[in-house]
Every structure is written in C-alpha cells, then in structure tokens.
Amino acid sequence: MADTDASRESGLLAPNAGPALRRRNRYQIRLQIIGMAAIGFALLMLVILVGSLIASGYKAFTQTHLTLDVFIDPAEIQVERLPRGGFDDVIETALLKKFPTVEGRAETRALTDILSNGAQFQLRDRIVENPSLIGQTIRVTVPVSDRFDQLNKGLVDRSTPEELRQVKDQAIAWFDQLKQSGAISKPLNWALLTNADSRFPELAGLKGALVGSFWALLVCFVISFPLGIGAAIYLEEFAPRNRFSDLIEVNINNLAAVPSVVFGLLALAVFLGWFGLPRSAPLVGGMTLALMTMPTIIIATRAALKSVPPSIRQAALGVGASKHQVVFGHVLPLAMPGILTGTIIGLAQALGETAPLLLIGMNAFITSAPGSPLDSATALPTQIFIWADSPERGFVSRTSAAILVLLTFLIAMNALAIYLRSKFERKW
Amino acid sequence: MSFIPVFVLILLWLALQGPVITAIVMNSLPDGALEGLDSGARQLIQAEISSIAAGNIFGTPEPWKMEAARQLVRLHDISVWALLAITLGLSGALVLFSRRRVSAEFRARHGVERIVSGLMIFCAVVAIFVTLGIIGSLLFETLKFFEKVPFTKFLFGINWEPQIPIREGQVAAAGAFGWVPVILGTMVITVVALVLAVPVGLMSAIYLNEFAPKWFRATAKPLLEILAGVPTVVYGFFAILVVAPVIRDFGQSLGLDVSPNTALAAGGVMGVMLIPFISSFADDALSAVPQALREGALGLGATRAEMMTTVLFPAAIPGIVGGVLLAVSRAIGETMIVVMAAGLMAKMTINPLESVTTVTVQIVTLLIGDTSFDNPKTLAAFALGMMLFIVTLVINVFALRIVRKYREAYD
Amino acid sequence: MNDMRKVERDVDAREVKISARDCQVWYGDNHAIKDVNVDIEEKTVTAFIGPSGCGKSTFLRCLNRMNDMIDNCRIEGTITLDGQDIYDPRVDPVQLRAKVGMVFQKPNPFPKSIYDNIAYGPRIHGLARGKAELDEIVEKSLRRGAIWDEVKDRLDAPGTGLSGGQQQRLCIARAIATQPEVLLMDEPCSALDPIATAQVEELIDELRKDYSVVIVTHSMQQAARVSHKTAFFHLGNLVEYGETGQIFTNPRDPRTESYITGRIG
C-alpha cells in the first residue's frame, strides 16, 4: 500500500495535498453555497411576501376625503323627521354648487359619483347629534368613492384609453379642479379600524372583524386554557402509565395534526347541526378554535411541567405536602411562564385560523360589530378572505392592509411570548 | 382564585342574556302576531323590536311592537340588576366558603383533591371526546351520503360535478360524485409543494445545522419561524396577488397557455409555507445525531461536508422522513391557500399548469352558503372530509411513530 | 500496583513524532491547559493520566485539532508533527486527521454496515483503487483490529449491532484503515467491561509496533499495563512526564505521588 500514499508522504501542507483534497474542499464549498441559496430563497420569499403586502397595503392606511361647505336646508331636513331626511340631496347640492356648468341628469350623476355613498350618513350622524345645525352652512369632510380614491392615489393609469377606464376624462377634470381648489385631502384612514364591513371599499373597516376575533379568542381562551392545563397536569403528574393514558397521549398528538378544515366539519355537524347554536357566531368560532388550541396548550404545559426539576417536588413532598399541594402550590407556579408562553402562541395560531371559521359561516357580510359572542360576526382572517374575494379594486389594498393589521397582532402576541420566556426563563 | 367562578358566570350571563330575553319577548307577543310567518319574517320583527327598544323608531309601529320593545327594555334592566345581585352574592358566598375551607383544610383536603382529580381526568378525556366527535359526526353524515350515492361510485368515479343542482333520485344516475379527479388534483398540488419544499428545506437545515456562523443561525431561524407563523389565508392572498400573475406572465412569454389559477401557483406557495416546517424538522433530526458520530467522522479525516452527507444525513434520515410525511399530511389538509388560489372545477389532469381542485377546496365550496343536512351536496363535503381525515390520520400516525422511534434510538 | 505487568521497555531514545511547546488552551476565560511541553515518540504507547478535569483529554484533542470545532476554544504555542506546525494556517485539518487518527471514549460506529464503517476512511481519502483493493484494506484493518474472526461472516450487518467491546475494536480498526501515523485514544475502555478492556489493551500493545499511540486513561493500572511513557496532568499543568516504570515507582513530583498512591483524584 506504500505506493498509494505518495501524496501523503509529502507532508501536511495543503499545497502538497494533491488534487483529491482540493476536490473534496470544493465539494464542501459547493454544499455550502447550495445551502446558502436555499436559505436565501426562503428568506427572499419572506421579503417578497411582506414587501408586496406593504407595497399594496400602505395606500389603504389613508383615505381621500372631500371637504364641502354644506347648507343644511330646512326644506330637506326637519328635526321631527330625524334621522330621516334628504341628506344626500343637500350634500350633492353643495358639490354641484362648485360646478355651476354641470347640467342634466347624466352629468349630475357623473359628478356626484365622486362622493362616497357613505358621505350622507356621516352628515346624518352629525345632524342627529346636534339638530341645531339645521339651517346653517357647515363644513364637512367626507370620503370620496373608491374610484376617485384610487385616482388620487395614482392607481388609475390616466394614459389608458378612456373607454377602458372606469373613471372618465370629464370626471378626472372635475376631480383635478377640486384638488386644485384644496378641497381634496388624504388623512389617515381611521375608518379602517372604526368602521365595520361595507360593500363600498372606501367605507369598509375591520371593526366588526376585530371585535369578532376578540370574542372568538376570548371564548377559545376560556375553554382551552383550563381544559389544556387540567389535561396536561393529569397526564404529566398523576396519570399512571397504562394503556388509557397512552391512548390519550396518542390522541392528543394526532389531534394536533388533524387538518383544520376537519374541525370546521365537526363544528358544523355538532355545534350547529345538533346543538343548534347560531351560525356565524364568535361563540361557535371560539369553541371550534378551542378544540384546535387545546393540544398546543397541553403539549406546551407538559413541557413546562417537565422542566421543573424533581428536586422541587421532592423538597415539597419531604415536608409533608400532598401530591396535589406539591403540584398546585409549587410545580404549577414555577411552570406558569412556560404555560403562558405556549398559550399565547396557541392563541396566535387560533387568531390566524380561517378554514374552520368559513365552515361555520363566519364569512357572512355583516355591517355592524357584534355586541355579544352570539351575534353574527366575521373574524380578521375571514374578513381578509371576504375582501380578497371582492371584485372592487379598492379591496385589493384593503386586503393587504387587513393582513398587515393581522400580522401586527400576531407579531405582538409572539413578541409577548418571547418576552415572557426570556424574562422568566430559568436554568435549573 | 376563588373569583374565577364569578368571572365565568358574568361571561356566560352576558353571552346568554340577549337570546334568552329575545326568546321571552318573542314568546310573549300577542297570539297571531307570528302566525304563518317563516323564520326570516320573524327575524325581521325581532330586529324591529330591538331597534325600537334602542330608540330608533321609524314610522309608527303597531302598538304590540311598542309594548314588546318596552318589555325588552324592562327585561334588560332586570337582567343587569339580577347579574349584579347574583355576582355580589356569589362572591360573598365564595369568600365565606374559602375561609371555612382554610380553617377546616385538614379534613376537607381529601374531598377537594378527589374533586380536582376528577376534573383533571375529565379534561384529559375531552381530547378523546373530540376525536370521537370528529369520527362520529363525519361517519354519521358520510353514511347518509352513501345512502344517496353508492360507495363505489364515489371511490372510483372520475366525474365530480356537485355544483350542478340535481333533483333527488337522479343523483346516483348522474354519477357526479366521483372523487378521483379531486384527490388527483390534491396530489398534483401536494407534489408541486413538496418538490419545492423538500430540497429547499433540507438544504437550509443542512446549512443552518453545520455550516452557518452562529450569528446567522441566530437570525435566520427566527425569520424562518415567522414564515412558518404566517396564517395560510395570507399565503392564499400572496398567491393570487403576486405568484399567480408572475407564473402567468412567465408562461405567456414562453408561449404557454397558463390558466389563471394554476396548480403551480397554489402548490408553489404551499411549498414556501412548508419550507420552514421541513427545515426545522430536519434541523432537529440532524441535531439529534450524537456528537460522537460527528467526531468519529471528523477524526477519520472527513471534511465537514463529507461528514454531513455520508454520516449525519443518513443517520438522520428516519427523523427527516417523519418530518416530510407530516409535511405531506399538512399539504393534503391545507385549505386556505388552495381555496383562494386553486380552481373549482375537477379535472383529470396531472399538468401543473392547469387549474385543478382539491379535497379541501371542495369541502369549503360545498359548505359555504346554505347548509341543510339532507342535501347530497352538503353530505358529499362530509364524505370528502372523512376521506381527508382517514388519509391524514394514517400518515400522521405513521410519521409520529417513525419520529418517536428515531428519537428513542439516540436517547 | 501488584498487577502491573512487566512490559519490555525500550529505554533507548526513539525519534520524536509529535512535539508540543508552551501549549496553552483556553475555553472562553477558562485556562484549561497551561504551558505544556511534551515530546511524543514514534512507535511508543504514551499514556496521559490525571484526575478528571485535569485537561488530559483537552490536550489530546489539540493533537489532531478536534478542538477546532469548539467555538470559544483558543490555542497558543506550537504543536508539530514530524517538525511541521499543525496549526500552520496552510495545514488543512482534514489532512492532519488522516495522519493522526482518533478513537473515542464511547464506541461510535456509524449506523452503516461493518464493511462500510471500515471502508469509510479509505473511501473519502481515496486510498483504494477499485473494489478488490478496498476489500483487502477492510480485511487487513479488521485483522489488525483483532475483530476479523468475529465479524468476517457478517460484514453487511450494521456496526451498531455489535457488543460494546466489539464496537470499540471496530472503531479502532476503522481508524487504522485510514493508515494513520499516530493513533489518539480518548479513554477507549471506559465504557467497556473487563474482558473487552483486556482485548482492547492487547490490541493496543500490538499496535505500537507500527504506530505512535497516545492513550488518555483515568485508570492508572491501565496506563501501567499498556504504556511506555506516561504524562501526569493536574489542573491543566503537565506535572511530570517520563518512563512509565519510573513514574509509577519513583515519581519525582509530590503531586504525582499523591495521585498514584490515591490521595488525589
């Protein structure tokens, strides 16, 4: 074998090491480059995902408004008839006054299309609140309709041939004139958070979805937290090792991997079909999410309980505490940060869960926020789904904006979990 | 601690008072007011009464409606006061009770502990009930479905057209409930997703596990976790907003006819979703390989790349296979991405540039909208759900067993 | 010390194979090895002994740069192999480890067949041209490892299925197959029963004809049985280094004496 290691005899220095070693090192570099490329691809996807959402969503955080001086004509609006009255007429009159040359039904329609359908209701609410305004001229700032919002945000290509455009040249001219006169403004779009859903993108907001998600998560927490902790403590601290506890254990692991849409089927058949609970209710949504969150909480709780060292248990048992007192008085408090961390992560998953909520009808079109967990409602992810499905162009950026809101909540929850973990992390 | 029952009570009360009061009011309406009305009209009347009670009076409602509204307000007031009284009473009682219990702790302990144990066992058993509930409800509806559509027609039929309204009795004859094209579409999208996710995920794991500098690993892992934590509805929107147009434009520039919702877009985005899943599983599996094997290979003069590909990776294969299987089950059960980005029409094709549908898409589209439980359309969704549950359950049990065996082997 | 077997000891100086000068090792702030100077001779069994945590394994791992894998480990001083500084930036540790093989505390056969375990080194280093030559290397290595007779009928069986002692001899055979010049052994018998230990010790005695063997052990009896030269480490210092017989019968340093007579450790 002496002849095979001629290169080896020549010493340790790399230059003498021969082509074999160079080839082997090249292989290593190649592997590293492929690995880096793979991870780069994954991270690039993350950047594109977030980037495209921000790029399309940031525009929905402002909303184009039109400021008008409106004469609240007592002929149209009387105190005794409130909240009814010709609010649309007075506001359109105010707009028409700015364009004296506009005549005829068609032109008038085209001009008043600039106003959002919601403008009259904003005016109405203001008058109902303060009826003494009737007969005065007041200055109102109301949203413009989606098409003109898009125009103002530069999302309408003015060079497109007119017949392919939803906004006609004449309307653009009027709008530009309004803009020059300083009547157009673009304030922050608080309506996105304070309005409920609407067919009109410029009026649609997430309040209903936020409240719906809140109720659903609350129900989810109230059910899954005690159930999860109870089950975890039993399995980890008390259960004898037998077939029964094995069965539960296998069950929980499998439940954690059951597709979410199957939970939706369960909820549809059992909660709605057999128990007759109301459709689209956050209560049912919360109960469904609780079933999905429970395995997560159980698994996290068991890990947290396991990490409490046996010496603590032995010390407490040694001074005469019962097994229950040891677990509830000593082990559970020490495991609490870990349990809370797991619970928050579980709730964050539940917040983003969509499919089961679709099946129990939480994708209904509902224009008011739910007052209780039994009212019909949407949730954040289902609202995103509804908006993503809506044909109006304004909903594209609103969907992105809604996703950004959802992601903000998720990041906040996960950050809280990380904070809890790092704050209470203990090395035993 | 002792105030938790009070808190639960308040929540329940607030949740239930509305429907209970409404029911009382509706039942106390004068005879004949609701006669012959369907549920929609009843709900309208109910809504009108609530809005009168809230002070929004439109026109001049009938006097019985005004009376009902007044009763509604009255009941609400009573409810609030009753809640207050009961809350205070219960709190007081609880405080007294816990005082007594503390003083008598020594004897009460066993009883309390027995109750607590019972409660905990109940919690653990709930998990079994959930599984039984899933199986029971799916089975019940599925059997009803197979009364209307023969099992063999479902299992081997290659035609899936449930959207067409079919009159009772014609269902079986039409043979529109064959799930083969649906499961085929599911498989096409799953394969596309895995073709992307498995190599990228594995190579990322290899790099992160062995070659990445510490700081890079510390940054990249949480970023990948973000990718894993993004809700699937967001991926779905990403698919229709960005990926599908890109694929379409690219296909057209090559002169290919690409449908707007290709299996490629849905599967590709699903693959992105699965990358962090596979990567973290593979990373764990590689880390579970004992340090001794790494040193053994290095001690023989292997380069780190050789150590990885000839020792570590083969040793970690069982764990990785388990992870990939779990990813397969995820891909099959994934719903939102395909609901948003894949097609609705079932086609017998394996061309990823065409539009295909999946089991989960069909479940969701069949159940969105009206759901009466005697319609074969609705029941078909449960039959699909049953198949989905069985397939994923088998894969999961298998995968979890592999993973557990693997962990035990190196403990 | 009664069971000390009389190994015939060549007192005449052999050539120096590995030489360490002023070697220092830090793990972070922990100064693990202090000012170690030692010359390891060719075709000799050298034992490193000392109480646990004294740095003997750490120093052993410096000799084929296995400490490179540990992030916060820092090494100063020079270690040379055949006069060549092994920490020279131009030296590839892969090349070094091919010449300085290592056997570990716990037997660590790869989860592959016995044949593939032995063939691992020759394959990655390209030592065999063709299957026949590889077969020859495997058989020769297994014979050298004194395990051929036990496994010749089941070369395709997984290496992990062997008993602990067989696994360790397999690992030694695996190290030999790479044709190293030095064999480092880090407590190779600590996980083995007495019979397996005796077999491995016999093997070590066999191996010294061709290789420099450096063995770390916490068992003084073992050091006395197998080694020609012994180095005693204590708290990161090389306290005493000399002929095994001399160290065990006539230690110069009081710390060595206390350790040998069982007062520390």
Side-chain angles (χ1 to χ4, degrees), chain C residues 175-216:
Chain C
I176 295 167
T178 318
Q179 302 169 17
E181 294 159 24
V182 181
L183 258 186
L184 307 178
M185 298 190 176
D186 189 356
E187 306 200 18
C189 301
S190 66
L192 305 184
D193 60 63
I195 295 171
T197 301
Q199 285 169 323
V200 171
E201 284 178 5
E202 223 167 278
L203 173 60
I204 292 170
D205 198 38
E206 219 15 58
L207 292 174
R208 82 183 156 86
K209 290 173 192 149
D210 302 301
Y211 307 100
S212 302
V213 178
V214 184
I215 176 168
V216 163

Side-chain angles (χ1 to χ4, degrees), chain A residues 55-314:
Chain A
S56 104
Y58 82 97
K59 286 185 168 139
F61 288 109
T62 57
Q63 165 66 38
T64 310
H65 278 66
L66 172 63
T67 305
L68 288 171
D69 291 321
V70 180
F71 173 58
I72 312 299
D73 191 348
E76 294 274 5
I77 295 157
Q78 288 101 33
V79 178
E80 35 308 341
R81 288 187 61 223
L82 285 177
R84 297 185 180 184
F87 295 98
D88 46 347
D89 290 336
V90 298
I91 205 163
E92 281 168 12
T93 312
L95 179 59
L96 283 168
K97 223 164 48 187
K98 290 204 164 207
F99 297 94
T101 56
V102 172
E103 272 176 2
R105 269 187 77 119
E107 270 203 340
T108 310
R109 273 289 297 275
L111 176 62
T112 53
D113 263 358
I114 294 181
L115 287 167
S116 160
N117 192 49
Q120 49 170 319
F121 298 113
Q122 286 195 5
L123 183 64
R124 183 193 71 189
D125 292 347
R126 202 162 147 193
I127 305 294
V128 169
E129 207 173 282
N130 185 5
S132 66
L133 292 174
I134 295 174
Q136 300 182 22
T137 298
I138 58 172
R139 170 159 291 202
V140 297
T141 301
V142 292
V144 303
S145 64
D146 178 47
R147 285 181 219 168
F148 293 90
D149 185 40
Q150 305 270 319
L151 178 72
N152 190 36
K153 288 170 179 169
L155 293 168
V156 174
D157 185 0
R158 292 177 188 228
S159 62
T160 322
E162 188 179 8
E163 58 273 19
L164 297 179
R165 239 190 287 134
Q166 281 198 309
V167 199
K168 304 299 173 201
D169 287 346
Q170 178 62 61
I172 293 180
W174 286 328
F175 188 82
D176 289 346
Q177 208 176 322
L178 284 170
K179 201 167 183 177
Q180 267 161 19
S181 71
I184 301 291
S185 57
K186 209 166 74 177
L188 274 184
N189 184 13
W190 290 110
L192 187 66
L193 296 178
T194 58
N195 278 9
D197 197 10
S198 164
R199 263 187 313 120
F200 304 102
E202 72 273 14
L203 300 176
L206 291 170
K207 187 181 173 197
L210 288 170
V211 176
S213 270
F214 169 77
W215 282 120
L217 278 196
L218 187 68
V219 171
C220 171
F221 174 76
V222 166
I223 295 173
S224 64
F225 188 66
L227 276 181
I229 291 190
I233 293 178
Y234 175 71
L235 290 175
E236 192 60 38
E237 304 281 345
F238 294 99
R241 289 274 156 260
N242 56 23
R243 294 180 70 166
F244 178 65
S245 58
D246 275 355
L247 180 71
I248 297 180
E249 182 132 24
V250 170
N251 227 300
I252 288 168
N253 285 336
N254 281 323
L255 270 188
V258 168
S260 62
V261 72
V262 172
F263 284 97
L265 288 171
L266 169 75
L268 181 60
V270 176
F271 296 155
L272 301 191
W274 293 352
F275 295 173
L277 290 172
R279 236 178 115 72
S280 309
L283 175 73
V284 182
M287 287 162 71
T288 316
L289 294 177
L291 301 183
M292 305 177 57
T293 312
M294 204 175 65
T296 314
I297 295 184
I298 293 177
I299 292 166
T301 305
R302 294 189 65 178
L305 290 173
K306 230 178 240 157
S307 72
V308 176
S311 59
I312 304 256
R313 283 165 240 252
Q314 281 151 11

